[in-house]
């Protein structure tokens, strides 16, 4: 199975900050990498698919990059509604696997 | 409106069984693969299973293989998760999610783009 490792596990940031979350796959997954935002009591929401493609309706302050084994989610100008947990997920091969999550908290 | 609605969660004793259902609306269900994903209390998301649009292929996480079974009834726009031999560690919120693919330069990229609100399963004696 492909293991996904995110860093950091949590971070504190202020409104307006630029936030970067990284995700590393245990083997190459080309660009089969998705990013999700998850808030308590709500279902996860897809932000980025295929490593760098913004899902329809997602604000442009979210962006993704990377290929192979190393990927990045960037949030430019963090907004109050962005405080949540973020997960990467590989869809290169079954079983699909998620990273352990990165909790973005208010500083 | 594209929607998924899970049901069937509850409290069950270890070793017993439970069947979850997820009813889809607002899209052509028979064209979409369907997933189950869960989140245990205080833990991250864990992918559980996927079923192809026509039900021809099914895949499972190692943690549930041999105990859980995913199925679907396209005439009822419903996907199921049959959970047998339940363990305490199966306690979680279970989400169903739609599989969607994007064709980018001839390569298919898959993502779960629509999620239900989740149903809670508690395994406890």
């Amino acid at each position: 199975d492909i293991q996904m490792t995110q860093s950091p596990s949590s971070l504190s940031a202020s409104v307006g900050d630029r936030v970067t979350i990284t995700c590393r796959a245990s083997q190459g997954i080309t660009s089969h990498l998705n990013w999700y935002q998850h808030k308590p009591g709500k279902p996860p929401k897809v932000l980025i698919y295929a490593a760098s493609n913004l899902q329809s309706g997602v604000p442009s302050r979210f962006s993704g990059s990377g290929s192979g084994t190393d990927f990045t989610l960037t949030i430019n100008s963090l907004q109050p509604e962005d405080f949540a947990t973020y997960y990467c997920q590989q869809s290169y091969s079954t079983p699909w696997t998620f990273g352990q999550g990165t909790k973005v908290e208010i500083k | 409106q594209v929607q998924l609605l899970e049901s069937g969660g509850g409290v069950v004793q270890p070793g017993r069984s439970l069947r979850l259902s997820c009813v889809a609306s607002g899209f052509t269900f028979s064209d979409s693969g369907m997933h189950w994903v869960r989140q245990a209390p205080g833990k991250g998301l864990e992918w559980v299973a996927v079923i192809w649009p026509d039900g021809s292929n099914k895949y499972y996480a190692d943690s549930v293989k041999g105990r859980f079974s995913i199925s679907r009834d396209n005439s009822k726009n419903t996907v199921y998760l049959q959970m047998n031999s339940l363990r305490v560690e199966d306690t979680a919120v279970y989400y169903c999610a739609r599989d969607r693919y994007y064709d980018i330069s001839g390569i298919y990229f898959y993502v779960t783009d629509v999620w239900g609100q989740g149903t809670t399963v508690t395994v406890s004696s």
Side-chain angles (χ1 to χ4, degrees), chain B residues 21-44:
Chain B
S21 300
C22 169
V23 179
S25 59
F27 65 99
T28 305
F29 181 73
S30 57
D31 285 347
S32 296
M34 296 296 297
H35 298 256
W36 286 96
V37 176
R38 67 184 181 183
Q39 184 179 37
K43 303 292 187 182

Side-chain angles (χ1 to χ4, degrees), chain A residues 1 30-32 34 36 38 41-44 46 48-50 53 55 87 89 91 94-100, chain B residues 35 37 39 43-47 50 59-62 95 99 102 104 107-113 115-117:
Chain A
D1 298 359
T30 63
S31 296
H32 290 79
N34 306 313
Y36 298 84
H38 194 199
K42 297 285 186 68
V46 60
I48 302 286
Y49 65 91
N53 294 268
Q55 179 72 359
Y87 295 89
Q89 176 207 47
S91 56
T94 55
W96 287 15
T97 42
F98 289 91
Q100 81 277 16
Chain B
H35 298 256
V37 176
Q39 184 179 37
K43 303 292 187 182
L45 298 174
E46 180 185 18
W47 178 86
V50 63
Y59 298 95
Y60 300 91
D62 291 343
Y95 298 98
D99 185 72
Y102 291 93
I104 302 175
I107 300 172
Y108 285 4
F109 292 87
Y110 294 88
V111 66
T112 45
D113 70 333
W115 295 63
Q117 291 297 313

Side-chain angles (χ1 to χ4, degrees), chain A residues 7 54 76 87 93 100:
Chain A
S7 60
L54 195 68
N76 283 303
Y87 295 89
S93 66
Q100 81 277 16

Side-chain angles (χ1 to χ4, degrees), chain A residues 39-88:
Chain A
K39 297 180 179 180
K42 297 285 186 68
K45 172 186 174 183
V46 60
L47 302 173
I48 302 286
Y49 65 91
S52 60
N53 294 268
L54 195 68
Q55 179 72 359
S56 175
V58 174
S60 60
R61 62 181 179 273
F62 292 93
S63 64
S65 64
S67 68
T69 60
D70 295 305
F71 303 87
T72 299
L73 173 71
T74 300
I75 311 172
N76 283 303
S77 188
L78 196 69
Q79 297 300 299
E81 60 268 29
D82 299 337
F83 292 96
T85 301
Y86 294 84
Y87 295 89
C88 62

